[in-house]
Amino acid sequence: MLKSVFYFVIFPGFLFTAVVGLLVSWIDRKVTARVQWRVGPPWWQNFADFVKLLGKETIIPQGTSRFHFITPPLLSISAITLVSTLLWVMLINPHKSFLGDLIVVVYLLMMPAMAVVMGGAASGNPLASMGASREMKLVLGYELPFVLALIVPIIKTDTIRLGEMIRFQAEDGVVIGSWSGIIAFLVAIVCMQAKLTLVPFDIPEAETEIMSGPYIEYSGPALAMFKLTRAMMLFVLPVFLVLVFWGGFGQGSFWSVLLGILKYVVLLVVIVLIRNTNPRLRIDQAMRFFWGLVTGVATLAIILALIGA
Amino acid sequence: MGNRTVIPIGPYHPLQEEPEFFRLWVEGETVVDIDVNIGYNHRGIEKLCELKTYDQIPFVVERVCGICSTSHPLAFVNAVEDLADIEIPERARYIRSIIAELERIHNHLLWVGLAGHFLGYNTVWMWAWRYREPVLDILEKITGNRQNYAMMKVGGVRRDIEDADIPDILRLVDDLVPAVDMFKGAILDDPVLHARLKGIGVLTKEEVHNYGAVGPTARASGVAVDVRRDDPYAAYDLVDWDVVTQEEGDVFAKAVVRVLELYESVKIVKECLERLKKTKGEIDVKVKEIPSGEGIGHAEAPRGEVFHYVRSDGTNRPIRHKIKSPSYTNVPTFKATVIGGTISDATITLAAVDPCYSCTERVAVVDKKTGRRRLNGEDLVRLSQEKTERIKRSMGL
């Protein structure tokens, strides 16, 4: 029991994920700044922002349901913490895997987006409800290809246990070693960008259109929770993709762990690159993109996987 | 009939850094109506100008707009020179054109950056503004200021461009061309930008005429209006250049017009500098007095035609000074372009005319008790009719 609490709260759960998440979002900010000929913030900037927000007041708009306004930030942060705990426990010790944990993770990864929809709709601001409706559409858009893409590693490794996936890939080669695997991986990267709501899919919070959308009425610790969730997702989602498609972070030896970190960094660089070389799409364009091209490609990957390519 | 919601853009909004207020009535994501409300920053410039002498006014009108800070003084001195029938020296004409075109270059680069920002493409924003810096450096080298150059005066210009500086300036201007090439490639060939900009906010030729749109807004719809060619001032009839037009009228065409105009501006600046080397003489003529009468002057600001009207009674101050800035006619085109699009399109469409609100501010007098607007259009027509009647009566008609 005490061990589970330790797992959840300290390592590899909340504290670990939060600290690493804030650090990697600093990398994102710094690299973005350098790409844009700016200097960028110091490494502790995100921590300072977070602590500052904690000290502020959470204003609950008049006529808002208190419960529905306050729950979403907590919901999203606990969901992402749970994902991180599950992933890392399995990465460190694949034997702890249980049947269907992949499905649990996919389900939990959707919670932050759902929380944003709920909080945005609850706040009663027209811009927030606009953002919430966009977020809802975006979720509908990317979940289908995301799940389709995840079917490919399931076919390849013939299991829905994350631990088994790691073991299989350690023995028989990584999923992205095959054509179907690499196609599915690319699809998953695009969906990950949307899950992170980064450009070109930052449609729900489009600063210059609807001023942060769902977050507009949030302040203080509640906003801090949302921001922290975003930072943690930037850490957790690539780790999830590395685990499922790229054989995890390796065990034991220093070099395999370093290789694992390198895999994560490659994904982070891809995210930052996409984010800095694209304008924002319109929501209808994003939907057409996900349900048309991306779903089509994902289906192709499944067919290839079934015929063994 | 769907559910109508009001989406406010402004009065303070991260979209544009000026106080402006658009109310978008939306059904879902589709904009069904728009209301434009400006007037948060009225400064009474026209009235101020009536209190200043002809030598002081260029400094005042320079501050009408921070970006078109040479177009307004240029239009004003054109008006006064029209009024007093002053011929300015050729050297001054070249220098005026150089400053005006450098202003156009920095404004268009600024716009490219802002358009990127509005689309969430912050890399373009920062890069465009980075390449705008050398232009401001050139302007600082010539005039001493990055903005508000204080170069125009009735009868000429205030500062000369030294022959020794010209090679340096030419080199800096030449360095701009690769940067512009890069933007042309990055913006005009980007498929995602095509998806976001093509067919969006289309302004037809007919609407351009109806709303009286000017500048790149009109030229992107295939209406080749350009004061520089239609009624040349400064040195525009002495050098060789083309009016850039596009036919489509959408946001993309407006971007194309601006990017291609960068090349024309570079061409004009270079040719003017070359000719400046060969032209010797004064940079201004001494203006002794301004006769009574009226004059009009206009200039092609980066956003379109700036129009100044000056009436003099023979003293050293105008008794009326009227300014019409391009946004005054460009902003109402939102009615034609924004309605029917989505909110995402609305923001970039609003930005596509390169609006400048503080130039456009007009004041309205509201009766506090009744909430009614006083001195609206009808009132002014009535007052004018009454005055005509009075004059008629006094003349015994």
Side-chain angles (χ1 to χ4, degrees), chain B residues 366-374:
Chain B
V366 180
D367 192 327
K368 219 173 149 186
K369 282 185 193 126
T370 60
R372 213 178 73 81
R373 280 192 176 199
R374 290 170 61 197

Side-chain angles (χ1 to χ4, degrees), chain A residues 34-276:
Chain A
R34 297 311 299 166
V35 167
Q36 298 175 354
W37 303 92
R38 291 187 286 118
V39 178
W43 68 268
W44 41 265
Q45 185 65 54
N46 285 328
F47 295 92
D49 291 349
F50 180 71
V51 171
K52 184 186 163 197
L53 276 178
L54 285 185
K56 301 267 175 190
E57 186 188 358
T58 298
I59 299 163
I60 298 171
Q62 230 170 23
T64 304
S65 159
R66 236 186 134 77
F67 176 76
H68 292 106
F69 190 73
I70 294 296
T71 328
L74 300 172
L75 185 71
S76 64
I77 202 146
S78 37
I80 202 71
T81 307
L82 200 53
V83 174
S84 183
T85 316
L86 282 176
L87 289 179
W88 280 101
V89 164
M90 269 163 246
L91 279 167
I92 294 164
N93 188 357
H95 300 295
K96 293 226 167 166
S97 186
F98 55 89
L99 184 65
D101 48 8
L102 174 68
I103 294 167
V104 173
V105 166
V106 170
Y107 172 76
L108 285 174
L109 277 178
M110 215 171 97
M111 292 310 283
M114 288 292 105
V116 167
V117 173
M118 186 170 148
S123 65
N125 186 306
L127 296 171
S129 25
M130 183 67 64
S133 93
R134 286 179 176 191
E135 178 86 45
M136 180 69 101
K137 286 176 198 158
L138 196 64
V139 170
L140 289 175
Y142 66 67
E143 276 305 322
L144 175 65
F146 189 61
V147 171
L148 286 179
L150 289 180
I151 289 179
V152 172
I154 294 176
I155 295 170
K156 286 274 163 202
T157 58
D158 201 22
T159 174
I160 46 171
R161 284 169 186 258
L162 289 169
E164 288 288 311
M165 280 186 168
I166 299 172
R167 247 204 344 254
F168 180 92
Q169 293 188 66
E171 286 159 16
D172 293 6
V174 293
V175 172
I176 56 166
S178 61
W179 281 110
S180 59
I182 197 114
I183 295 172
F185 187 55
L186 292 177
V187 168
I189 286 176
V190 173
C191 295
M192 171 171 71
Q193 195 82 7
K195 264 190 182 297
L196 293 168
T197 53
L198 291 175
V199 180
F201 305 113
D202 66 332
I203 313 163
E205 57 207 61
E207 182 206 350
T208 48
E209 291 165 22
I210 51 173
M211 302 199 264
S212 311
Y215 305 118
I216 191 167
E217 293 289 354
Y218 278 98
S219 52
L223 182 63
M225 291 301 136
F226 268 136
K227 295 260 178 211
L228 189 61
T229 308
R230 294 283 303 271
M232 285 158 83
M233 281 178 83
L234 188 61
F235 174 50
V236 173
L237 269 172
V239 166
F240 175 60
L241 291 202
V242 167
L243 192 162
V244 175
F245 289 96
W246 209 344
F249 279 63
Q251 256 115 40
S253 85
F254 171 75
W255 290 111
S256 69
V257 172
L258 193 70
L259 189 69
I261 294 171
L262 206 66
K263 290 174 190 171
Y264 170 78
V265 171
V266 167
L267 277 185
L268 187 65
V269 167
V270 169
I271 292 171
V272 176
L273 273 184
I274 298 178
R275 159 181 144 90
N276 282 308

Side-chain angles (χ1 to χ4, degrees), chain B residues 43 48 99 109 114-115 127 131 152 168 175 224 226 262 267 284 289 294 301 316 332 340 345 374 390:
Chain B
R43 292 163 295 167
L48 271 178
I99 303 293
L109 284 173
L114 282 178
W127 278 63
Y131 286 102
M152 304 301 159
D168 262 1
D175 286 348
D226 194 321
L262 286 172
K267 206 163 90 183
D284 58 350
E289 60 177 307
E294 51 186 15
N316 61 348
D345 295 336
R374 290 170 61 197
R390 248 195 340 267

Side-chain angles (χ1 to χ4, degrees), chain A residues 35 134 208 276 280 282 285, chain B residues 29 118-119 123 127 195-196:
Chain A
V35 167
R134 286 179 176 191
T208 48
N276 282 308
R280 184 189 309 123
R282 241 179 12 233
Q285 290 169 334
Chain B
E29 284 266 339
F118 298 153
L119 289 171
T123 311
W127 278 63
R196 277 308 306 273

